[in-house]
Amino acid sequence: MLQGWVIVLTSIAYLGLLFGIAYYADQRADRGRSIIASPYIYSLSLAVYATAWTFYGSVGRAAVDGVGFLPIYLGPTLIIALWWVVMRKILRISKQHRITSLADFVASRYGKSALVGGVVTVIAVIGIVPYISLQLKAVSNSFVILLQYPEIVMPATVGAVPVLQDTAFWVASALAIFTILFGTRHLYAAEHHEGMVAAIAFESLVKLLAFLAVGVFVTFVVYDGFGDVFSRAAAERELAPMLTPIESVAGGYGSWVWLTILSMLAIMFLPRQFQVTVIENIDERHLNKAIWLFPLYMLAINVFVLPIAFGGRLHFPDGTVDADTFVLTIPMFERQELLTLLVFIGGLSAATGMVIVETIALSTMVCNDLVMPLLLRMRRLALAQRPDLTGLLLGIRRGAIVLILLLGYVYFRLAGEAYALVSIGLISFAAVAQFAPAVLGGIFWKSGTRRGALAGLAAGFGVWMYTLLLPALARSDWLPRSFLEAGPLGIELLRPLELFGLAGLDQITHAMIWSMMANAGAYVAVSLLDTQSAEEHRQASLFVDVFRRDGGGARLWRGTASAPDLHAVLARFLGAEAADAVFARYARAHGGTWPDPALEADADLVHAVETQLAAAIGAASARIMVAAVAKEEALTIDEARELLDEASQVVAYSHRLEQKSRELEQATRELKAANERLTELDRMKDDFISTVTHELRTPLTSIRAFAEILLDRPDLDADERQRFLGIITRETERLTRMINQVLDLAKLESGKAEWNVASVDLRQLIDDSVAATSQLFKEKGIALETDVAPELPLVAADHDRIMQVLLNLLSNAAKFCGRPDGRVRIAARVAGGDLRVDVADNGPGINPRDRETIFEKFRQVGDTLTAKPQGTGLGLPISRQIIEHFGGRIWVESAPGRGSTFSFTLPIGPPHAGRDRPTLAAA
Amino acid sequence: MKGYERRTGQRLVALGLLGALAFNYPILGLFNRAVTVLGIPLLYAYIFAAWALLIAAMALVVERGRAK
């Protein structure tokens, strides 16, 4: 059933279906009910990335070196993760400036320079031509092979047939007509090519389904699943090395990395990708879903590449069948007519999708950024005065489409046979990668200048031509072969494939290294040496700071213009109706009506007109048109800077204000905290005073009571009298001791205490204090043992103060010791760089919750209501003050019923500045 | 909204860097050996599995962040 006419009719019917979809989508768009306003359609339209090269070429490459084709799809997956940062910025800029193409974007960034736009256009056209020729080659080859069904015969060498009998020529012509009908039926201006996007999305579905169908067929019908294909391949001596393939890929990891980088740049800067991703985007939020949907598409279309490739090698072991055709030839070999036809349609989808979008994108560039600026500059044509230029614009675009496809065909005839599909595609990838420094630098680096961009583009493109394009022509014998082998004029250092002796790399890696170095180097170096014009500076700021300001471009224009003149210019490109709408909108916003000859043409209006124009004919051409009717006073760079700075100053002021208010809040918070602390201190002071008075009153009360008894009862017997006097004396002593301690503590706390710091031998000190308290222990029948290490280092401390601490701890221990067989043990040793003293008793112990409070003033453990206080409650707080003053620590370890151990540490060593500071203060 | 955008952006960048590591020397080299998983050469199995995981993670970051 696969006769020639069936194939041709099916193809035509398929293209007709596409056209129908596009027509329907356009109709819907005109009625304001877009069918492409969906992130899914958007993601599918991005899949125009997968061309005939993917469809046929991936298998071709996989059949040679296994995973070598994958970086082309892994790269986009990785870079798309950065799109959230990079592509959203490009999208926002493009919407704000009504960008119409990649060339327009670059031109607009570098001061709306027509020259930059032109250079980008030329590079894009020349760079993409091989890629288009690849599509022609794929479609015509698949057609020719299909015609021979059921025989499998490779097509004859091109060039052997005259042009008019060459299938590729007819394919090119058909595609040209189709694209013209498709993309240039009328001037879309600012609108999107909604019909085209709908058709492309449909084609993406078709090619995916076709490829999956043939993949499933080969893997699961012809073979018995993935494992079967691979194990059969592993059995073949020739195929086995491809199962651990990276070293076997030409160039190994280096080439893998460069292919990844190359495809990362290609997915952003191929004119057709820029077209669908940026220009045709109708909602920034669609990007979000595309970030994972598009990589998913690429994953899906690659899953079966390896099985098909190995299947092909197993089917056609003698190498007579080109691996690039396995996708088609395996179903043919298996006599699957419908599947074969489906594959052909899938390949046709992949190729036509690419050609349509690419040529529309390129023709827009050629028209807006190359031809129009030139025509507008020719005063003799007086184009700016013509009433309606829409026809001219369409004519230029149609011409450009024909010309580009013709160039593609010519390249196909010249160089088509020397390379596999993949290699041809990579040459184009490397060409568009040259846009990366100018675009990425342009959106993140304000200092990139017009001349810098031009230098970078020229240098990078020059190296690309020399290392990739010329060798391609030489291999096809259009240049002498000696050019490759011996270098131009026999200079070996300049051999295009081993430039300056850089050998051992594959051609693409070699070209990428040199061209990227030349490109980025020239861009940065020239930009740094250059100064920007006012227009450049303005555009640079608008691009780089797009998220920080909105619009604001109008403020940077000064001059005079007449509203009717501006209206006339707009009407020429958009038609009178659209121009009226713009002016009416503007007049309404400024409180006037249109038409009104008195309407003032201020900077805002001029800006509005220029943006509208830019959407139709590109920034550079729009600039020229507006400049022709509006008398603009050139801004100097300083003025522009001033105006821009004004805007950024406002931002800076508000930032500073924000910061000030934040600082104020902080200060308020600190003040509040300080106030709370003060209140707390005040409360503590009050507490202290009331506690002290309370504590002082207790002995005072008992002294007074006994004194009164003595006064009232002179007849008291002598023993009784003696006893009362004894109590009064003891209570007085207690009172004196308490007052002394309060004064002592006050001195310590205020830092006014006197310290006599010297090297102290703690061993001696412990002996002294044990001797001083021995009487007390003996009285109470408590055993006191000492356990002091024989060699104790000296510590820097105040002898009397440490003695005070030791006596306090020992008397405490005596007080709370267990009865009847109390035991107290004092130990001293070196522990962790400190000297540590422990005083342990076997008393009732201390509740965990009291362990910290006993170091506070007037806190004694036990119920103060029932038990008589046995001390002043100031001993431990004073001890803590003393120990901490010398840089030590005091604490208690205890468990109820198991005694308690009071410990303190003192740092070993001579006194140092920090520690005896209070001494100096006291002196 | 701003916080969501910045956070999602940073998460995606991190995923991109992770992917760049996963699909490069030396990690890739670890899987470049003559072993098969369910009959599929280890390297192929690894690349496609890691690729799928990476996409799933990206989907998770984008879609879950938005729901909040």
Side-chain angles (χ1 to χ4, degrees), chain A residues 523-544:
Chain A
Y523 173 63
V524 173
V526 174
S527 290
L528 289 178
L529 295 173
D530 200 10
T531 48
Q532 288 175 321
S533 73
E535 181 81 13
E536 277 176 79
H537 186 74
R538 169 183 105 152
Q539 291 298 99
S541 298
L542 291 179
F543 271 53
V544 175

Side-chain angles (χ1 to χ4, degrees), chain A residues 251-581:
Chain A
Y253 287 105
S255 132
W256 176 278
V257 171
W258 275 101
L259 277 186
T260 311
I261 294 173
L262 191 58
S263 60
M264 284 178 173
L265 301 178
I267 191 72
M268 302 186 74
F269 303 123
L270 278 170
R272 71 169 187 286
Q273 293 305 137
F274 195 87
Q275 181 81 23
V276 289
T277 315
V278 179
I279 313 295
E280 304 292 351
N281 173 282
I282 49 180
D283 187 341
E284 231 174 77
R285 283 168 303 180
H286 289 171
L287 191 64
N288 300 358
K289 231 181 215 19
I291 281 180
W292 62 272
L293 268 179
F294 175 51
L296 191 62
Y297 183 98
M298 290 191 293
L299 177 68
I301 209 167
N302 276 304
V303 166
F304 290 108
V305 169
L306 286 159
I308 298 176
F310 285 116
R313 290 285 296 260
L314 292 167
H315 264 68
F316 311 108
D318 53 358
T320 50
V321 175
D322 185 355
D324 279 345
T325 66
F326 282 168
V327 182
L328 192 65
T329 45
I330 296 179
M332 282 172 72
F333 183 83
E334 300 286 338
R335 301 292 153 93
Q336 296 288 327
E337 297 195 351
L338 267 179
L339 184 61
T340 306
L341 196 61
L342 180 63
V343 168
F344 175 74
I345 294 295
L348 188 66
S349 288
T352 51
M354 181 277 183
V355 170
I356 290 168
V357 186
E358 201 83 85
T359 46
I360 286 178
L362 286 177
S363 74
T364 311
M365 279 160 117
V366 169
C367 170
N368 289 358
D369 295 281
L370 197 63
V371 179
M372 281 309 285
L374 286 178
L375 291 182
L376 289 171
R377 269 176 212 277
M378 290 183 201
R379 290 181 185 274
R380 241 171 343 112
L381 293 178
L383 271 193
Q385 273 70 50
R386 294 243 193 117
D388 185 357
L389 292 172
T390 49
L392 178 69
L393 287 175
L394 281 179
I396 295 171
R397 285 181 196 190
R398 286 172 186 158
I401 289 171
V402 173
L403 183 81
I404 291 162
L405 277 166
L406 200 64
L407 278 174
Y409 178 68
V410 169
Y411 187 88
F412 169 67
R413 295 283 291 199
L414 292 185
E417 283 304 297
Y419 289 92
L421 294 182
V422 166
S423 314
I424 300 179
L426 287 179
I427 293 177
S428 292
F429 271 29
V432 297
Q434 305 307 325
F435 299 139
V439 174
L440 295 179
I443 62 173
F444 290 112
W445 187 44
K446 272 188 216 177
S447 309
T449 70
R450 185 177 68 93
R451 278 180 285 257
L454 283 172
L457 288 169
F461 185 61
V463 174
W464 174 83
M465 291 255 273
Y466 190 71
T467 54
L468 283 176
L469 191 65
L470 296 187
L473 294 178
R475 286 204 179 144
S476 316
D477 292 324
W478 290 91
L479 283 172
R481 287 252 173 178
S482 65
F483 171 74
L484 289 186
E485 282 136 27
L489 309 172
I491 305 170
E492 288 217 348
L493 219 50
L494 295 182
R495 278 189 303 197
L497 298 182
E498 291 178 5
L499 195 56
F500 305 124
L502 183 65
L505 300 170
D506 69 301
Q507 203 186 342
I508 295 290
T509 307
H510 171 264
M512 278 301 284
I513 289 174
W514 283 123
S515 65
M516 277 294 130
M517 253 162 39
N519 188 334
Y523 173 63
V524 173
V526 174
S527 290
L528 289 178
L529 295 173
D530 200 10
T531 48
Q532 288 175 321
S533 73
E535 181 81 13
E536 277 176 79
H537 186 74
R538 169 183 105 152
Q539 291 298 99
S541 298
L542 291 179
F543 271 53
V544 175
D545 295 337
V546 65
F547 285 117
R548 241 175 284 165
R549 54 176 104 225
D550 27 35
R555 294 152 37 81
L556 295 182
W557 187 88
R558 203 171 50 192
T560 52
S562 103
D565 283 353
L566 286 169
H567 180 265
V569 170
L570 205 52
R572 255 171 242 143
F573 287 95
L574 301 182
E577 219 173 292
D580 277 338

Side-chain angles (χ1 to χ4, degrees), chain A residues 42-56:
Chain A
Y42 180 68
S43 305
L44 278 175
S45 75
L46 294 189
V48 72
Y49 181 68
T51 65
W53 169 20
T54 304
F55 199 83
Y56 294 114

Side-chain angles (χ1 to χ4, degrees), chain A residues 889-905:
Chain A
R889 206 163 69 79
I890 184 165
W891 72 96
V892 61
E893 283 162 13
S894 170
R898 294 225 304 272
S900 40
T901 305
F902 283 81
S903 311
F904 68 87
T905 60

